[in-house]
Amino acid sequence: MEPFQINIPQVQLDDLRQRLANTRWPAELSGFGWERGVPLAYLQELAEYWRTSFDWRAVEEEFNRYPQFTTEIDGERIHFLHVRSPEPDATPLLLSHGWPGGFLEFADVIGPLTNPAAHGGDPADAFHLVIPSIPGYGFSTLGSVGWSVPRVAGAWAQLMAQLGYDRYVAQGGDAGSVISQVLGLMDPEHVQAIHINMLMTFPSGDPAEMVDLSETDVARLQHLGAFDADGSGYMKIQLTRPQTLGYGLTDSPVGQLAWIVEKFQAWTDASAKVPEDAIDRDRILALVTLYWLTATGGTSAHFYYDGAEDIKRAVTGASPPPQSVPVGVAVFPADLFLPLRRLADRDIPTITHWTEFERGGHFAAMEVPELLVKDIRAFVRSL
């Protein structure tokens, strides 16, 4: 393992600002909001802020305070944070991100999870954190095809073994949720439990599953249908033509910005009119900048292509192999997938903890970090 520090050459930051200044903007029709995509005036203002006011060096300074490393696993260089708690008996916790996320999204939970005493919590709730980047995201390389969810989960198992953690808890949202679940199936001898904040449940076609649905369950099925009809275009492109998409995302910073910021508008709390109403603007731009500076807009999309078969099996409602470790589920109302409890119990009979929140969305660690931290603590305390 090699120590790692973030230090982007100034020439790359200067190039980003120059590209933003030279953006070739499209025309825009009048009379619509976000339903056709990111509004022109909003994106122009955000891009100008990115060019003139956003401070990437502050991001580097913040994260370089934490121990970071790279190690080679299965032919790729894996970047990860390893932040140990001052409490020697802390529980090891593996945090996995998804798309369009990255290790930066956990900025506001690192302190409370590793050092609860310093944040008004109980020292007994402390965690040692391992936060890796999926191959093709951020500073983790991707040089070959085939990095499906099971392969990533296998790499995480190797990483935790290299770090000497014999028992640990796996946590994640988005793809990190699926990775954590597969990791529990692959390595139950070492995975103590799983906590997830996005659980996907799909009907199998059995009419008995649809009997006596509550109003909430009906609404969630309608939400799923609306996502498939209107919100899944990005997924279908990344599932089928990631390389083609990558050219635009790698060459145009505004293209990369629009591709990501639309999801922060669609997948955060419904009360948020613009993404910054839910998540700090600089936090969002930090993630976008990470994708841009590492040229991983395209490589991150390949994760969808390599996971296409896993996604197809899930949407048919086919039950996965039985999970043997305890599972905790946090449900945030503005997430892009909202699970039905009866289907969740069908798929995961070991669910021991289930929390329904009244606010928050897909990016829980960024949007409602205090709620996510509280739920992780409560789940692990119950084990």
Side-chain angles (χ1 to χ4, degrees), residues 319-375:
S319 295
Q323 192 70 252
S324 62
V325 303
V327 176
V329 180
V331 182
F332 295 95
D335 213 336
L336 71 162
F337 293 105
L338 296 174
L340 277 65
R341 181 63 193 263
R342 67 170 63 181
L343 300 184
D345 289 333
R346 175 202 68 189
D347 294 341
I348 310 174
T350 57
I351 293 174
T352 62
H353 176 93
W354 183 284
T355 309
E356 298 267 351
F357 290 97
E358 295 183 355
R359 60 188 177 93
H362 187 63
F363 306 95
M366 303 176 74
E367 190 175 355
V368 285
E370 72 286 355
L371 296 183
L372 181 62
V373 167
K374 182 180 179 180
D375 203 63

Side-chain angles (χ1 to χ4, degrees), residues 158-222:
Q158 290 185 52
L159 175 61
M160 296 303 281
Q162 288 182 23
L163 293 172
Y165 290 125
D166 185 60
R167 295 285 285 170
Y168 58 92
V169 175
Q171 198 284 331
D174 193 86
S177 166
V178 185
I179 292 168
S180 298
Q181 292 175 65
V182 172
L183 182 55
L185 293 171
M186 294 175 61
D187 196 22
E189 293 183 358
H190 299 103
V191 177
Q192 179 184 358
I194 299 163
H195 182 277
I196 52 182
N197 57 286
M198 187 197 79
L199 176 62
M200 296 184 290
T201 60
F202 299 94
S204 66
D206 181 357
E209 292 179 347
M210 301 295 105
V211 174
D212 296 329
L213 289 177
S214 67
E215 290 185 10
T216 297
D217 285 346
V218 171
R220 290 183 176 183
L221 287 175
Q222 292 171 341

Side-chain angles (χ1 to χ4, degrees), residues 66-223:
Y66 301 121
Q68 300 175 65
F69 304 87
T70 60
T71 187
E72 184 171 323
I73 298 177
D74 199 4
E76 300 294 349
R77 185 190 68 185
I78 304 300
H79 165 260
F80 64 98
L81 275 66
H82 185 201
V83 188
R84 289 186 59 83
S85 170
E87 305 296 332
D89 295 328
T91 300
L93 178 64
L94 172 68
L95 297 178
S96 296
H97 67 85
W99 183 93
F103 70 93
L104 298 180
E105 72 184 77
F106 299 110
D108 295 326
V109 304
I110 292 175
L113 286 174
T114 57
N115 193 0
H119 294 81
D122 185 342
D125 290 328
F127 296 93
H128 300 307
L129 296 185
V130 179
I131 310 175
S133 297
I134 296 171
Y137 288 74
F139 298 108
S140 288
T141 63
L142 181 67
S144 61
V145 300
W147 276 92
S148 61
V149 167
R151 189 173 176 185
V152 174
W156 285 186
Q158 290 185 52
L159 175 61
M160 296 303 281
Q162 288 182 23
L163 293 172
Y165 290 125
D166 185 60
R167 295 285 285 170
Y168 58 92
V169 175
Q171 198 284 331
D174 193 86
S177 166
V178 185
I179 292 168
S180 298
Q181 292 175 65
V182 172
L183 182 55
L185 293 171
M186 294 175 61
D187 196 22
E189 293 183 358
H190 299 103
V191 177
Q192 179 184 358
I194 299 163
H195 182 277
I196 52 182
N197 57 286
M198 187 197 79
L199 176 62
M200 296 184 290
T201 60
F202 299 94
S204 66
D206 181 357
E209 292 179 347
M210 301 295 105
V211 174
D212 296 329
L213 289 177
S214 67
E215 290 185 10
T216 297
D217 285 346
V218 171
R220 290 183 176 183
L221 287 175
Q222 292 171 341
H223 179 81

